């Protein structure tokens, strides 16, 4: 199969960039799947000792992806108050 790809690339040089990016995509996808398989597992599947892990979180624990800072609307300055 590799021999056929090399022959086609020699016959049609326009295939070389396509084969390059195809190889890069497959390599990246492979490394990403390996990282997912080996990565740090945040969720724990211990149903015997901790069946409801969400109950152990403190109410002040920030578990959101993004939390905008609290803004006091009374202290906001607008153009009408500056002139």
């Amino acid at each position: 199969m590799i021999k056929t790809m090399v022959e086609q690339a020699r016959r049609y040089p326009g295939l070389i960039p396509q084969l390059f990016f195809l190889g890069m995509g497959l390599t990246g996808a492979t490394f990403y799947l390996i990282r997912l398989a080996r990565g740090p597992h945040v969720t724990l599947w211990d149903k015997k000792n901790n069946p409801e892990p969400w109950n152990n979180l403190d109410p002040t624990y920030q578990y959101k992806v993004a939390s905008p800072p609290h803004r006091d609307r009374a202290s906001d300055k607008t153009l009408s108050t500056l002139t």
Side-chain angles (χ1 to χ4, degrees):
M1 181 171 161
I2 303 253
K3 182 180 175 184
T4 306
M5 289 174 58
V6 171
E7 289 175 1
Q8 292 293 326
R10 283 188 185 151
R11 192 176 308 155
Y12 305 106
L15 291 177
I16 294 172
Q18 292 177 351
L19 294 174
F20 174 75
F21 286 111
L22 180 69
M24 291 285 290
L26 288 172
T27 304
T30 301
F31 281 129
Y32 181 68
L33 288 175
I34 290 171
R35 185 181 78 86
L36 285 177
R38 295 178 41 126
H41 301 290
V42 177
T43 55
L44 300 174
W45 302 100
D46 187 10
K47 294 189 178 193
K48 222 180 238 188
N49 298 327
N50 194 5
E52 297 176 346
W54 54 88
N55 288 335
N56 295 338
L57 292 178
D58 186 28
T60 60
Y61 178 74
Q62 180 181 350
Y63 55 90
K64 296 179 182 177
V65 175
S67 179
H70 177 70
R71 291 180 55 181
D72 187 16
R73 298 288 180 191
S75 66
D76 285 347
K77 294 181 180 179
T78 60
L79 290 175
S80 63
T81 59
L82 294 176
T83 56

